[in-house]
Amino acid sequence: MFHKEEVQKILAEARCMDPQLEMFGVADHQYRLGPPVDLAFVRAMEKKYHFRFPDDYVQFITEVGDGGAGPGYGLYPFGYYCTEAKSKEEAKAREMYLRGMGRELRLLPIEPEWLEDFCISKEEYKKNPEKFFRGSGGSFDWDNNIPYGFFHLGTYGCWRDFGLITAGERCGQVFIHDTEGAFELETNSFQVFYQNWLDFILDTERFQNELEEWRRIRNR
């Protein structure tokens, strides 16, 4: 369970260490979370679209913050879906996306001979082959290249998104998904996923080393 005051304190420490927002991905969220979303709204959306968020994610977005500070370029807000769509096309895309949230994303193991097709390095695969999967044929909205039952939490850039499984036996697990159709298990829960990022901030030596590396990259 996350406590808002503790999370805010850690984010404040990150802002002190990186006042110029030079760390990768933080320029938009600036180590700040958006306001929490109303629990009644979350439950209404789950009921309407026949899916269920894990308790740890619901607790976070309704008590701590919805969207903003997080891994990669930060977290997408679920509260986006209670805002008015800017066009008929956007409204249609939202509806199709949400209607797929209750459908199970069926994942199949990736065999060694397929690694090149999925842009997975042999070295990474050898370390932990059971982490890598591909989506089965019935697990995608092919018109929009969107996997069913997968709530996009955010992106690392370079077409690598991370998201939360919202249906089936893997519900609650966090995966990285890329445009080649590969899925990599990141953690078994949102709580562990986000806590890992907070622990990265708390490890000041590691944080400072990575920050210096990004400064060098920008100053080339």
Side-chain angles (χ1 to χ4, degrees):
M1 184 173 182
F2 291 102
H3 298 281
K4 185 173 184 177
E5 295 76 13
E6 293 178 4
V7 173
Q8 294 288 6
K9 180 180 178 181
I10 295 171
L11 297 179
E13 292 174 2
R15 289 193 296 272
C16 289
M17 290 187 289
D18 181 22
Q20 301 303 314
L21 307 176
E22 297 171 288
M23 183 68 82
F24 171 79
V26 307
D28 288 338
H29 63 70
Q30 301 181 16
Y31 302 106
R32 300 179 191 281
L33 289 166
V37 67
D38 188 71
L39 177 60
F41 167 72
V42 177
R43 295 306 184 207
M45 295 293 277
E46 290 175 324
K47 182 177 180 180
K48 179 177 180 179
Y49 293 103
H50 309 290
F51 72 92
R52 188 79 173 182
F53 279 136
D55 292 341
D56 55 358
Y57 180 67
V58 173
Q59 187 265 329
F60 188 88
I61 65 174
T62 60
E63 298 180 17
V64 182
D66 179 37
Y73 286 92
L75 300 177
Y76 297 149
F78 184 65
Y80 160 77
Y81 294 99
C82 70
T83 63
E84 185 177 352
K86 296 178 181 178
S87 66
K88 291 182 179 179
E89 291 76 16
E90 181 182 343
K92 182 180 179 181
R94 288 190 194 188
E95 186 70 13
M96 293 177 65
Y97 175 64
L98 290 169
R99 287 195 179 282
M101 295 277 277
R103 295 182 59 173
E104 183 176 2
L105 173 61
R106 297 186 180 276
L107 299 176
L108 302 174
I110 288 181
E111 302 299 332
E113 59 267 26
W114 301 338
L115 296 181
E116 187 173 337
D117 294 337
F118 288 98
C119 299
I120 298 170
S121 74
K122 292 181 180 180
E123 292 74 18
E124 288 299 314
Y125 181 82
K126 287 179 180 178
K127 289 179 184 177
N128 210 343
E130 63 272 17
K131 288 179 59 177
F132 296 96
F133 302 85
R134 62 184 176 90
S136 66
S139 294
F140 287 85
D141 170 1
W142 291 106
D143 291 335
N144 297 283
N145 194 32
I146 296 173
Y148 294 125
F150 185 80
F151 178 67
H152 285 78
L153 291 170
T155 183
Y156 291 118
C158 298
W159 305 104
R160 284 169 56 82
D161 296 342
F162 51 92
L164 191 64
I165 303 292
T166 55
E169 62 180 13
R170 292 187 176 276
C171 185
Q173 294 182 337
V174 177
F175 278 81
I176 298 172
H177 166 58
D178 66 27
T179 54
E180 302 298 328
F183 291 83
E184 179 183 349
L185 178 62
E186 184 85 337
T187 65
N188 283 315
S189 70
F190 174 80
Q191 178 153 348
V192 172
F193 174 72
Y194 198 79
Q195 186 62 55
N196 285 345
W197 184 71
L198 294 178
D199 289 343
F200 162 65
I201 295 173
L202 291 170
D203 185 344
T204 55
E205 182 177 356
R206 181 183 168 202
F207 185 93
Q208 292 287 4
N209 287 341
E210 187 160 328
L211 181 58
E212 286 302 319
E213 181 61 28
W214 281 107
R215 285 171 177 161
R216 284 193 291 270
I217 291 172
R218 286 185 168 84
N219 292 329
R220 284 177 182 171

